[in-house]
Amino acid sequence: MIKRTNRLSHPEDTVVRVGGDGCEAVDIGGGSLVVIAGPCSVESEEQIVGIARQAAAAGAVMLRGGAFKPRTSPYEFQGMKADGIELLLKAKAATGLPIVTEIMSENHLPLFENVDMIQVGARNMQNFELLKALGRTGKPILLKRGLANTLKELLMSAEYIMAGGNDRIVLCERGIRTFEPYTRNTLDLSAVPALHELTHLPVIVDPSHATGRADFVEPMALAAAACGADGIMIEVHNDPAHALSDGPQSVTPAQFSRLMQKIRAVRAAAADDGGAEAGALL
Amino acid sequence: MIKRTNRLSHPEDTVVRVGGDGCEAVDIGGGSLVVIAGPCSVESEEQIVGIARQAAAAGAVMLRGGAFKPRTSPYEFQGMKADGIELLLKAKAATGLPIVTEIMSENHLPLFENVDMIQVGARNMQNFELLKALGRTGKPILLKRGLANTLKELLMSAEYIMAGGNDRIVLCERGIRTFEPYTRNTLDLSAVPALHELTHLPVIVDPSHATGRADFVEPMALAAAACGADGIMIEVHNDPAHALSDGPQSVTPAQFSRLMQKIRAVRAAAADDGGAEAGALL
Amino acid sequence: MIKRTNRLSHPEDTVVRVGGDGCEAVDIGGGSLVVIAGPCSVESEEQIVGIARQAAAAGAVMLRGGAFKPRTSPYEFQGMKADGIELLLKAKAATGLPIVTEIMSENHLPLFENVDMIQVGARNMQNFELLKALGRTGKPILLKRGLANTLKELLMSAEYIMAGGNDRIVLCERGIRTFEPYTRNTLDLSAVPALHELTHLPVIVDPSHATGRADFVEPMALAAAACGADGIMIEVHNDPAHALSDGPQSVTPAQFSRLMQKIRAVRAAAADDGGAEAGALL
Amino acid sequence: MIKRTNRLSHPEDTVVRVGGDGCEAVDIGGGSLVVIAGPCSVESEEQIVGIARQAAAAGAVMLRGGAFKPRTSPYEFQGMKADGIELLLKAKAATGLPIVTEIMSENHLPLFENVDMIQVGARNMQNFELLKALGRTGKPILLKRGLANTLKELLMSAEYIMAGGNDRIVLCERGIRTFEPYTRNTLDLSAVPALHELTHLPVIVDPSHATGRADFVEPMALAAAACGADGIMIEVHNDPAHALSDGPQSVTPAQFSRLMQKIRAVRAAAADDGGAEAGALL
């Protein structure tokens, strides 16, 4: 049996449309590059709406922000939960950006009704009951690779969602666990061409979580653009030093704006085959 | 703040009592060694009751068996689910052995009412919503270390359960993911003394999942007994060649019986400080 | 004590000059990007001179080629040894390209007298006696990161060479060993900005050994160019299907030529800060 | 071609005889268990002779001690070198224990003429020129597994020695590099049964380097004895707090003596098949 995620079963790239209902429609996959930006955690209306406006002005086409936060310790900030989703929806209304935010339990699905794309975090990549529930939703799903999961396991988790009837899946490389302590995780960029070979599903890259270091986000985001990622998700915070989570890996809106320009230029250069295709990108 | 799992907060070993209600009571922790045995998956009444009887005869004091099975692929056998739990309860009634079986979603909790100990599998070690729900149950929990989780992360996951008010937790080392392909995972036995240093919670070892090889179960089970594990969980199947899951790592009841004798002898030898303590073991 | 490799001891980038004596001089480090190309192994005069000419025509500024080959098995092709170095010198004479080739023992040093840059392979990164001997040579050294060595260990190995009085060292990221089997190793591109932060020594990237796959060389080479590498080393073979070693990861001269154009474009885009710096690159 | 290290080429266990010339003869392999003890580094005559006497009195049958020390940093103590070997030979003369010490370059071989067993350290496991040189010596070789090398790579390195005509090889598991920071490395005890299946060569275990913790040496040494290792190598120091290297992982002679008793008891228990074989062990 050829699996549903296998490129042999669907030779063309899948393009996942996100949003379009009360906000912009964004297409992920098929050769273009989308940038998703926003804070690790939603902290207040002012914070999330402000960052959303600045991210949109710089060229981001989607807004990220955590409402339910999976934290290693039960004593760390766990997110604003339902209130955080409400604030994301306000930011969406204010900017027209579709939103993506993480789910931690199938029981929270009713809260995600107006969320444009539902993220499955690395720690839940093999939470199969959650995957099955998402397979029944028809919503766009952003499926992050687990900390120590192979590409084939990532595809089998996508297969759980597709087996339920939902093929609107975007995969995300976000760093894997290795012996190297200098970065938070090790960003495995070869996952991008590898997944493009194995599957028709789009692949985006999260350099913020992978490196855990704001000053490494630019070089790794540019590398992701150069190697053919279908999207890049970047943590942007207006005040990283006081962020409630992941401040050290967040760039400021000003840094993000400069980075967007470079991302565009690098992608155009990488995709240029003698000029013929350049116009189609970004 | 000293965390609840930290040995500093509870210098003596925690002893977790399992069962006692319609079956034998088993104490895990505190220096003795318990052996849990049973098939990877419950497959039929005849299978599970038969194995339970043989395991009990050989000296196992608890029965394991999967009813909800987390499988990498959605197309593999997913377990007998609620029916599997019913069959485990029949085996419990037939043998007096308390049962332990894995849960995959907090929504399945009502089915686990008569289960003596609830297992959290490696893939769900950081399914924090599930951990929180288990913290509210008061049931003994068998918390398996994630495939690529550090000992401190394992303890923080236990902390989620304890923070909810449930301190009846047993930790389980079941192999970690490394670069070595010869075994399914790499059994990290130094986790046993390390966890005994870090925490007061009992620690058991699962050599079957760690190695993935029936012929490596005996040496690794003996090693676990020698290094001070509070328990060993061993997959036993009456017909490994036809098991619906994990046949290659299952030992037969006859092999298990012989292994139990060796486990007892090794543990007595390892624990013997000039004769004084030997009588207290096993 | 601030170590010699530490950027604090030498805030500006070190630029390592290679060649210049009977061949072109190549400067590695300081913001520009050099490309080194050639076959895994030297196989014949026709092969190495032919590839050298094609590589030079496409824009490579140095020639690589293995004469002493460290192979996992003693029964695999071990390289042409001294004869291979002679052929590299012929290719150097024919093209003006400086050459880099690997050393496996300090006892072979006399054979390397006319070699422009001496490579220490991943397996010998902590062969300290070899490092000490190279520290006494004054020759440019290409020091590859070991398969499972941290960045700090890589720097300590460079420190062995510098402690001997030789500061002409170029570091090379060539993939690390992880649990992922789809690629030969996992290319850790975040090592590039990390090393640039930690040390003043130049850093190059070897996408060929890292991925083990010819079709992944282009995306990973472009990613290396985008994230600021000081150089890229690419395996090029005129007939990959019949190469005596590492054929599956070698690109053809035609593929290499096209890739060089893209590398230049991507690097110019990544380095462009509003136009001011672009002219200085490549 | 069936390789020389493969058990198919030599179904019986290889027994490697060490010493016998001016000291005791020790046989490694074939079902018995030998214990090698001594300090990480040779520091003085008084130190090494004193430890050797105490180790012998406790039951160790070989003496270890580093003279050439591979250290990550060039600024750390590099060993007493030739003088260290002289002191080891004095300790051998004083106690009758054969000695094992590490070699770092084939150029040092003349200094090892009276050394009974030559150790290849983890960092040099793939220093193929050194392995080839050792293949020509006919001396017993203790080949340690590299930090991140697979069992098959370890066997291929042994194959380099055997291909040169020397089959007196003992393999050593000493911990592998993983993501877990709590122990220095992760001791892979399943390597013992795995290597016993793959090869006829003896396998010993080094719990001291694997764990890096004196208090974990006992449980891991007992585990090694239980799972069938042909030997255990333990770092013993008369004054761990002031050792020039690896003090934190060294046990005292008194601790070692107590541990030896437990090792004997555990091994006898693990090997006992109803009493028939017990007499033959230890």
Side-chain angles (χ1 to χ4, degrees), chain D residues 185-222:
Chain D
N185 295 119
T186 297
L187 183 63
D188 177 13
L189 278 178
S190 56
V192 175
L195 287 169
H196 278 163
E197 177 177 273
L198 289 165
T199 185
H200 51 89
L201 297 172
V203 183
I204 74 168
V205 170
D206 176 347
S208 306
H209 281 89
T211 63
R213 294 275 305 270
D215 50 345
F216 293 178
V217 168
E218 174 173 317
M220 291 302 104
L222 297 183

mmCIF file of all heavy atoms in Angstrom, chain D residues 185-222:
data_model
loop_
_atom_site.group_PDB
_atom_site.id
_atom_site.type_symbol
_atom_site.label_atom_id
_atom_site.label_comp_id
_atom_site.label_asym_id
_atom_site.label_seq_id
_atom_site.Cartn_x
_atom_site.Cartn_y
_atom_site.Cartn_z
ATOM 1 N N ASN D 185 28.691 9.753 30.147
ATOM 2 C CA ASN D 185 28.230 9.104 28.924
ATOM 3 C C ASN D 185 27.122 8.149 29.323
ATOM 4 O O ASN D 185 26.798 8.052 30.502
ATOM 5 C CB ASN D 185 29.383 8.355 28.253
ATOM 6 C CG ASN D 185 30.488 9.279 27.768
ATOM 7 O OD1 ASN D 185 31.623 9.183 28.194
ATOM 8 N ND2 ASN D 185 30.139 10.215 26.903
ATOM 9 N N THR D 186 26.551 7.473 28.356
ATOM 10 C CA THR D 186 25.501 6.504 28.659
ATOM 11 C C THR D 186 26.071 5.112 28.438
ATOM 12 O O THR D 186 26.434 4.759 27.314
ATOM 13 C CB THR D 186 24.274 6.743 27.754
ATOM 14 O OG1 THR D 186 23.742 8.045 28.037
ATOM 15 C CG2 THR D 186 23.199 5.698 27.998
ATOM 16 N N LEU D 187 26.161 4.336 29.521
ATOM 17 C CA LEU D 187 26.714 2.981 29.408
ATOM 18 C C LEU D 187 25.717 2.104 28.651
ATOM 19 O O LEU D 187 24.570 1.956 29.068
ATOM 20 C CB LEU D 187 26.972 2.410 30.812
ATOM 21 C CG LEU D 187 27.621 1.028 30.848
ATOM 22 C CD1 LEU D 187 29.011 1.056 30.225
ATOM 23 C CD2 LEU D 187 27.710 0.510 32.276
ATOM 24 N N ASP D 188 26.166 1.548 27.546
ATOM 25 C CA ASP D 188 25.287 0.711 26.711
ATOM 26 C C ASP D 188 25.565 -0.749 27.030
ATOM 27 O O ASP D 188 26.311 -1.428 26.317
ATOM 28 C CB ASP D 188 25.566 1.018 25.234
ATOM 29 C CG ASP D 188 24.753 0.132 24.311
ATOM 30 O OD1 ASP D 188 23.808 -0.545 24.778
ATOM 31 O OD2 ASP D 188 25.067 0.096 23.105
ATOM 32 N N LEU D 189 24.935 -1.247 28.087
ATOM 33 C CA LEU D 189 25.226 -2.626 28.489
ATOM 34 C C LEU D 189 24.672 -3.653 27.525
ATOM 35 O O LEU D 189 25.154 -4.789 27.478
ATOM 36 C CB LEU D 189 24.695 -2.886 29.901
ATOM 37 C CG LEU D 189 25.623 -2.391 31.007
ATOM 38 C CD1 LEU D 189 25.001 -2.651 32.368
ATOM 39 C CD2 LEU D 189 26.990 -3.074 30.933
ATOM 40 N N SER D 190 23.679 -3.275 26.721
ATOM 41 C CA SER D 190 23.188 -4.252 25.751
ATOM 42 C C SER D 190 24.256 -4.546 24.699
ATOM 43 O O SER D 190 24.142 -5.513 23.944
ATOM 44 C CB SER D 190 21.883 -3.788 25.098
ATOM 45 O OG SER D 190 22.055 -2.526 24.499
ATOM 46 N N ALA D 191 25.309 -3.742 24.681
ATOM 47 C CA ALA D 191 26.439 -4.055 23.803
ATOM 48 C C ALA D 191 27.074 -5.391 24.182
ATOM 49 O O ALA D 191 27.657 -6.060 23.325
ATOM 50 C CB ALA D 191 27.489 -2.944 23.878
ATOM 51 N N VAL D 192 26.961 -5.789 25.439
ATOM 52 C CA VAL D 192 27.593 -7.047 25.867
ATOM 53 C C VAL D 192 26.931 -8.246 25.180
ATOM 54 O O VAL D 192 27.604 -8.990 24.454
ATOM 55 C CB VAL D 192 27.606 -7.168 27.405
ATOM 56 C CG1 VAL D 192 28.149 -8.531 27.828
ATOM 57 C CG2 VAL D 192 28.442 -6.048 28.016
ATOM 58 N N PRO D 193 25.620 -8.464 25.358
ATOM 59 C CA PRO D 193 25.045 -9.607 24.628
ATOM 60 C C PRO D 193 25.092 -9.412 23.109
ATOM 61 O O PRO D 193 25.232 -10.388 22.370
ATOM 62 C CB PRO D 193 23.599 -9.678 25.146
ATOM 63 C CG PRO D 193 23.330 -8.343 25.750
ATOM 64 C CD PRO D 193 24.643 -7.848 26.274
ATOM 65 N N ALA D 194 24.992 -8.177 22.663
ATOM 66 C CA ALA D 194 25.020 -7.948 21.214
ATOM 67 C C ALA D 194 26.378 -8.342 20.631
ATOM 68 O O ALA D 194 26.459 -9.039 19.608
ATOM 69 C CB ALA D 194 24.715 -6.477 20.911
ATOM 70 N N LEU D 195 27.446 -7.936 21.291
ATOM 71 C CA LEU D 195 28.778 -8.298 20.776
ATOM 72 C C LEU D 195 29.033 -9.794 20.931
ATOM 73 O O LEU D 195 29.655 -10.410 20.059
ATOM 74 C CB LEU D 195 29.859 -7.482 21.488
ATOM 75 C CG LEU D 195 29.914 -6.005 21.065
ATOM 76 C CD1 LEU D 195 30.825 -5.213 21.989
ATOM 77 C CD2 LEU D 195 30.386 -5.864 19.610
ATOM 78 N N HIS D 196 28.534 -10.387 21.991
ATOM 79 C CA HIS D 196 28.701 -11.837 22.138
ATOM 80 C C HIS D 196 28.004 -12.590 21.014
ATOM 81 O O HIS D 196 28.434 -13.683 20.635
ATOM 82 C CB HIS D 196 28.180 -12.291 23.496
ATOM 83 C CG HIS D 196 29.173 -12.083 24.610
ATOM 84 N ND1 HIS D 196 28.826 -12.097 25.929
ATOM 85 C CD2 HIS D 196 30.513 -11.862 24.590
ATOM 86 C CE1 HIS D 196 29.910 -11.887 26.680
ATOM 87 N NE2 HIS D 196 30.941 -11.727 25.876
ATOM 88 N N GLU D 197 26.954 -11.998 20.501
ATOM 89 C CA GLU D 197 26.264 -12.635 19.370
ATOM 90 C C GLU D 197 27.037 -12.411 18.067
ATOM 91 O O GLU D 197 27.171 -13.310 17.246
ATOM 92 C CB GLU D 197 24.873 -12.000 19.255
ATOM 93 C CG GLU D 197 24.042 -12.483 18.105
ATOM 94 C CD GLU D 197 22.657 -11.837 18.158
ATOM 95 O OE1 GLU D 197 21.785 -12.410 18.837
ATOM 96 O OE2 GLU D 197 22.456 -10.757 17.569
ATOM 97 N N LEU D 198 27.562 -11.199 17.897
ATOM 98 C CA LEU D 198 28.197 -10.835 16.628
ATOM 99 C C LEU D 198 29.607 -11.381 16.473
ATOM 100 O O LEU D 198 30.056 -11.651 15.364
ATOM 101 C CB LEU D 198 28.255 -9.300 16.505
ATOM 102 C CG LEU D 198 26.934 -8.580 16.266
ATOM 103 C CD1 LEU D 198 27.092 -7.084 16.534
ATOM 104 C CD2 LEU D 198 26.462 -8.803 14.831
ATOM 105 N N THR D 199 30.317 -11.503 17.594
ATOM 106 C CA THR D 199 31.743 -11.827 17.472
ATOM 107 C C THR D 199 32.174 -12.827 18.542
ATOM 108 O O THR D 199 31.514 -12.978 19.577
ATOM 109 C CB THR D 199 32.599 -10.540 17.596
ATOM 110 O OG1 THR D 199 33.976 -10.870 17.364
ATOM 111 C CG2 THR D 199 32.483 -9.903 18.977
ATOM 112 N N HIS D 200 33.299 -13.442 18.292
ATOM 113 C CA HIS D 200 33.911 -14.390 19.231
ATOM 114 C C HIS D 200 34.882 -13.697 20.186
ATOM 115 O O HIS D 200 35.411 -14.320 21.107
ATOM 116 C CB HIS D 200 34.666 -15.459 18.450
ATOM 117 C CG HIS D 200 35.603 -14.890 17.426
ATOM 118 N ND1 HIS D 200 36.901 -14.555 17.695
ATOM 119 C CD2 HIS D 200 35.389 -14.543 16.118
ATOM 120 C CE1 HIS D 200 37.461 -14.042 16.609
ATOM 121 N NE2 HIS D 200 36.567 -14.021 15.630
ATOM 122 N N LEU D 201 35.138 -12.418 19.979
ATOM 123 C CA LEU D 201 36.109 -11.700 20.813
ATOM 124 C C LEU D 201 35.507 -11.387 22.185
ATOM 125 O O LEU D 201 34.309 -11.121 22.298
ATOM 126 C CB LEU D 201 36.530 -10.396 20.122
ATOM 127 C CG LEU D 201 37.256 -10.560 18.783
ATOM 128 C CD1 LEU D 201 37.446 -9.201 18.114
ATOM 129 C CD2 LEU D 201 38.601 -11.260 18.957
ATOM 130 N N PRO D 202 36.321 -11.364 23.234
ATOM 131 C CA PRO D 202 35.809 -11.030 24.570
ATOM 132 C C PRO D 202 35.391 -9.558 24.662
ATOM 133 O O PRO D 202 35.898 -8.710 23.922
ATOM 134 C CB PRO D 202 37.004 -11.293 25.499
ATOM 135 C CG PRO D 202 38.047 -11.962 24.675
ATOM 136 C CD PRO D 202 37.747 -11.705 23.236
ATOM 137 N N VAL D 203 34.500 -9.297 25.604
ATOM 138 C CA VAL D 203 33.940 -7.951 25.797
ATOM 139 C C VAL D 203 34.021 -7.577 27.262
ATOM 140 O O VAL D 203 33.478 -8.283 28.113
ATOM 141 C CB VAL D 203 32.448 -7.916 25.381
ATOM 142 C CG1 VAL D 203 31.898 -6.499 25.526
ATOM 143 C CG2 VAL D 203 32.260 -8.438 23.980
ATOM 144 N N ILE D 204 34.671 -6.473 27.549
ATOM 145 C CA ILE D 204 34.692 -5.996 28.931
ATOM 146 C C ILE D 204 33.972 -4.649 29.015
ATOM 147 O O ILE D 204 33.662 -4.024 27.996
ATOM 148 C CB ILE D 204 36.121 -5.892 29.506
ATOM 149 C CG1 ILE D 204 36.879 -4.702 28.926
ATOM 150 C CG2 ILE D 204 36.902 -7.195 29.272
ATOM 151 C CD1 ILE D 204 38.172 -4.414 29.687
ATOM 152 N N VAL D 205 33.715 -4.214 30.244
ATOM 153 C CA VAL D 205 32.930 -3.001 30.491
ATOM 154 C C VAL D 205 33.708 -2.076 31.413
ATOM 155 O O VAL D 205 34.331 -2.525 32.374
ATOM 156 C CB VAL D 205 31.568 -3.368 31.118
ATOM 157 C CG1 VAL D 205 30.827 -2.131 31.603
ATOM 158 C CG2 VAL D 205 30.707 -4.141 30.116
ATOM 159 N N ASP D 206 33.667 -0.782 31.107
ATOM 160 C CA ASP D 206 34.328 0.236 31.929
ATOM 161 C C ASP D 206 33.263 1.160 32.524
ATOM 162 O O ASP D 206 32.863 2.142 31.908
ATOM 163 C CB ASP D 206 35.296 1.033 31.048
ATOM 164 C CG ASP D 206 35.972 2.190 31.794
ATOM 165 O OD1 ASP D 206 35.532 2.533 32.894
ATOM 166 O OD2 ASP D 206 36.933 2.749 31.236
ATOM 167 N N PRO D 207 32.781 0.858 33.714
ATOM 168 C CA PRO D 207 31.714 1.690 34.294
ATOM 169 C C PRO D 207 32.217 3.043 34.786
ATOM 170 O O PRO D 207 31.418 3.962 34.966
ATOM 171 C CB PRO D 207 31.193 0.838 35.456
ATOM 172 C CG PRO D 207 32.356 -0.013 35.855
ATOM 173 C CD PRO D 207 33.120 -0.288 34.587
ATOM 174 N N SER D 208 33.523 3.170 35.001
ATOM 175 C CA SER D 208 34.054 4.417 35.551
ATOM 176 C C SER D 208 33.975 5.536 34.519
ATOM 177 O O SER D 208 33.429 6.619 34.789
ATOM 178 C CB SER D 208 35.501 4.207 36.001
ATOM 179 O OG SER D 208 35.600 3.115 36.897
ATOM 180 N N HIS D 209 34.524 5.300 33.315
ATOM 181 C CA HIS D 209 34.447 6.331 32.287
ATOM 182 C C HIS D 209 33.014 6.539 31.804
ATOM 183 O O HIS D 209 32.631 7.642 31.439
ATOM 184 C CB HIS D 209 35.335 5.972 31.099
ATOM 185 C CG HIS D 209 36.776 6.259 31.360
ATOM 186 N ND1 HIS D 209 37.619 5.343 31.923
ATOM 187 C CD2 HIS D 209 37.516 7.392 31.188
ATOM 188 C CE1 HIS D 209 38.818 5.881 32.059
ATOM 189 N NE2 HIS D 209 38.786 7.124 31.628
ATOM 190 N N ALA D 210 32.238 5.486 31.786
ATOM 191 C CA ALA D 210 30.876 5.594 31.257
ATOM 192 C C ALA D 210 30.034 6.544 32.089
ATOM 193 O O ALA D 210 29.311 7.385 31.555
ATOM 194 C CB ALA D 210 30.229 4.208 31.214
ATOM 195 N N THR D 211 30.136 6.389 33.408
ATOM 196 C CA THR D 211 29.242 7.178 34.254
ATOM 197 C C THR D 211 29.899 8.467 34.736
ATOM 198 O O THR D 211 29.201 9.445 34.989
ATOM 199 C CB THR D 211 28.799 6.376 35.495
ATOM 200 O OG1 THR D 211 29.952 6.085 36.294
ATOM 201 C CG2 THR D 211 28.116 5.074 35.091
ATOM 202 N N GLY D 212 31.228 8.423 34.928
ATOM 203 C CA GLY D 212 31.896 9.616 35.444
ATOM 204 C C GLY D 212 31.584 9.895 36.905
ATOM 205 O O GLY D 212 31.851 10.989 37.397
ATOM 206 N N ARG D 213 31.040 8.903 37.573
ATOM 207 C CA ARG D 213 30.580 9.102 38.952
ATOM 208 C C ARG D 213 30.946 7.906 39.819
ATOM 209 O O ARG D 213 30.460 6.788 39.586
ATOM 210 C CB ARG D 213 29.046 9.260 38.959
ATOM 211 C CG ARG D 213 28.513 10.500 38.288
ATOM 212 C CD ARG D 213 28.525 11.684 39.245
ATOM 213 N NE ARG D 213 27.800 11.374 40.446
ATOM 214 C CZ ARG D 213 26.488 11.595 40.619
ATOM 215 N NH1 ARG D 213 25.782 12.168 39.651
ATOM 216 N NH2 ARG D 213 25.892 11.276 41.739
ATOM 217 N N ALA D 214 31.740 8.136 40.849
ATOM 218 C CA ALA D 214 32.185 7.033 41.703
ATOM 219 C C ALA D 214 31.009 6.264 42.296
ATOM 220 O O ALA D 214 31.052 5.040 42.412
ATOM 221 C CB ALA D 214 33.078 7.572 42.824
ATOM 222 N N ASP D 215 29.942 6.977 42.665
ATOM 223 C CA ASP D 215 28.836 6.282 43.329
ATOM 224 C C ASP D 215 27.976 5.476 42.355
ATOM 225 O O ASP D 215 27.104 4.724 42.774
ATOM 226 C CB ASP D 215 27.977 7.249 44.147
ATOM 227 C CG ASP D 215 27.555 8.465 43.351
ATOM 228 O OD1 ASP D 215 28.140 8.715 42.275
ATOM 229 O OD2 ASP D 215 26.641 9.175 43.798
ATOM 230 N N PHE D 216 28.201 5.634 41.055
ATOM 231 C CA PHE D 216 27.463 4.814 40.090
ATOM 232 C C PHE D 216 28.313 3.623 39.627
ATOM 233 O O PHE D 216 27.833 2.778 38.865
ATOM 234 C CB PHE D 216 27.060 5.635 38.867
ATOM 235 C CG PHE D 216 26.049 6.716 39.143
ATOM 236 C CD1 PHE D 216 25.628 7.572 38.118
ATOM 237 C CD2 PHE D 216 25.496 6.894 40.408
ATOM 238 C CE1 PHE D 216 24.698 8.579 38.360
ATOM 239 C CE2 PHE D 216 24.557 7.905 40.655
ATOM 240 C CZ PHE D 216 24.165 8.744 39.625
ATOM 241 N N VAL D 217 29.567 3.583 40.054
ATOM 242 C CA VAL D 217 30.439 2.490 39.599
ATOM 243 C C VAL D 217 29.938 1.151 40.134
ATOM 244 O O VAL D 217 29.878 0.172 39.391
ATOM 245 C CB VAL D 217 31.902 2.755 39.998
ATOM 246 C CG1 VAL D 217 32.761 1.511 39.793
ATOM 247 C CG2 VAL D 217 32.457 3.919 39.180
ATOM 248 N N GLU D 218 29.561 1.104 41.393
ATOM 249 C CA GLU D 218 29.103 -0.181 41.944
ATOM 250 C C GLU D 218 27.873 -0.718 41.217
ATOM 251 O O GLU D 218 27.920 -1.841 40.716
ATOM 252 C CB GLU D 218 28.817 -0.096 43.450
ATOM 253 C CG GLU D 218 28.206 -1.403 43.962
ATOM 254 C CD GLU D 218 28.033 -1.486 45.467
ATOM 255 O OE1 GLU D 218 28.962 -1.079 46.196
ATOM 256 O OE2 GLU D 218 26.971 -1.958 45.922
ATOM 257 N N PRO D 219 26.788 0.042 41.130
ATOM 258 C CA PRO D 219 25.625 -0.553 40.450
ATOM 259 C C PRO D 219 25.919 -0.940 39.002
ATOM 260 O O PRO D 219 25.429 -1.974 38.523
ATOM 261 C CB PRO D 219 24.542 0.540 40.547
ATOM 262 C CG PRO D 219 25.244 1.778 40.978
ATOM 263 C CD PRO D 219 26.471 1.353 41.716
ATOM 264 N N MET D 220 26.725 -0.146 38.306
ATOM 265 C CA MET D 220 26.980 -0.476 36.902
ATOM 266 C C MET D 220 27.963 -1.641 36.770
ATOM 267 O O MET D 220 27.866 -2.435 35.837
ATOM 268 C CB MET D 220 27.475 0.753 36.147
ATOM 269 C CG MET D 220 26.405 1.830 35.970
ATOM 270 S SD MET D 220 24.923 1.223 35.084
ATOM 271 C CE MET D 220 23.781 1.044 36.466
ATOM 272 N N ALA D 221 28.889 -1.770 37.709
ATOM 273 C CA ALA D 221 29.796 -2.921 37.668
ATOM 274 C C ALA D 221 29.016 -4.205 37.947
ATOM 275 O O ALA D 221 29.222 -5.229 37.283
ATOM 276 C CB ALA D 221 30.912 -2.738 38.692
ATOM 277 N N LEU D 222 28.098 -4.145 38.895
ATOM 278 C CA LEU D 222 27.286 -5.328 39.182
ATOM 279 C C LEU D 222 26.404 -5.679 37.982
ATOM 280 O O LEU D 222 26.214 -6.846 37.643
ATOM 281 C CB LEU D 222 26.430 -5.096 40.430
ATOM 282 C CG LEU D 222 27.209 -4.866 41.735
ATOM 283 C CD1 LEU D 222 26.244 -4.716 42.912
ATOM 284 C CD2 LEU D 222 28.199 -5.992 41.996
#
